[in-house]
Amino acid sequence: MLSFELSLLDFLQAHLRCAFLDAVVPVFTKLGDYGILWILLTAGLLAFPKTRRVGLAAACALLLELLLCNLLLKPLVARERPYTYRELQLLISPLKDYSFPSGHTAASFAVSSALFFRKNRLWIPAFALSILLGFTRLYLYVHFPSDVLCGALLGVFAGFLGCLLAKRLETLWTRRRSR
């Protein structure tokens, strides 16, 4: 499996690498660093009463994604990054954490899924952005395809659970206020 995934990454390097993408992709992928884009979007949603419920779902999804991805799975699986298997010039600095699953992808899909499950139309551009961010991780040779795929699946799961948790919190808050 490892050789298959490395060959897919090598294929991307051989057929898609160009000066334009080499300049754009490292900048674009920074949108996902530390989940900052998704945290800012979530904070914006929480700031307005009309979108506060979807913001709560996104916040719950991000929290669950953080716990599952960065605190549980990455240290448990401890998968080395693909560039440790190849001699190549990276377009970004080598990363210090493990590869599996992709945290950029998981956070992106967690918020996108929370928007989808809460029927907020922002899910469409958010999913498009999530797919592009996942691609950047492959292009940069910092994740295996299975890291990105599992990150996306984990994100959807976190988004779904985040919506359930948010609804539960809303119910508890409503009951508490009515007393």
Side-chain angles (χ1 to χ4, degrees), residues 37-38 41 45 51 54-55 57-58 107-132 155-156 159-160 163:
L37 171 69
W38 307 109
L41 174 61
L45 292 168
T51 57
V54 71
S108 299
F109 277 90
V111 173
S112 299
S113 296
L115 294 170
F116 173 79
F117 291 122
R118 279 295 177 112
K119 297 177 181 22
N120 183 292
R121 289 188 305 204
L122 285 176
W123 77 267
I124 297 168
F127 263 113
L129 192 58
S130 298
I131 291 166
L132 289 173
V156 171
F160 177 74
C163 286

Side-chain angles (χ1 to χ4, degrees), residues 15-27 91 135 139-140:
H15 294 89
L16 294 180
R17 284 286 300 261
C18 64
F20 174 74
L21 288 178
D22 284 359
V24 171
V25 167
V27 174
L91 297 173
F135 169 77
Y139 186 88
L140 294 170

Side-chain angles (χ1 to χ4, degrees), residues 13-150:
Q13 296 293 303
H15 294 89
L16 294 180
R17 284 286 300 261
C18 64
F20 174 74
L21 288 178
D22 284 359
V24 171
V25 167
V27 174
F28 188 76
T29 204
K30 286 212 171 287
L31 291 173
D33 286 0
Y34 309 107
I36 195 69
L37 171 69
W38 307 109
I39 292 168
L40 290 173
L41 174 61
T42 299
L45 292 168
L46 286 167
F48 300 99
K50 185 177 179 179
T51 57
R52 198 160 286 146
R53 288 179 183 217
V54 71
L56 178 61
C60 290
L62 275 175
L63 181 61
L64 290 169
E65 177 276 326
L66 173 70
L67 294 171
L68 293 170
C69 180
N70 293 4
L71 300 179
L72 178 68
L73 289 173
K74 278 189 185 258
L76 184 66
V77 176
R79 185 180 198 186
E80 295 297 322
R81 294 197 177 262
Y83 57 75
T84 62
Y85 297 93
R86 296 280 195 264
E87 285 286 324
L88 56 103
Q89 181 77 28
L90 291 178
L91 297 173
I92 61 172
S93 300
L95 304 170
K96 294 175 179 42
D97 64 343
Y98 293 113
S99 180
F100 182 88
S102 168
H104 279 68
T105 309
S108 299
F109 277 90
V111 173
S112 299
S113 296
L115 294 170
F116 173 79
F117 291 122
R118 279 295 177 112
K119 297 177 181 22
N120 183 292
R121 289 188 305 204
L122 285 176
W123 77 267
I124 297 168
F127 263 113
L129 192 58
S130 298
I131 291 166
L132 289 173
L133 278 170
F135 169 77
T136 68
R137 309 311 284 168
L138 300 173
Y139 186 88
L140 294 170
Y141 223 94
V142 295
H143 281 292
F144 291 100
S146 60
D147 299 340
V148 171
L149 176 62
C150 290

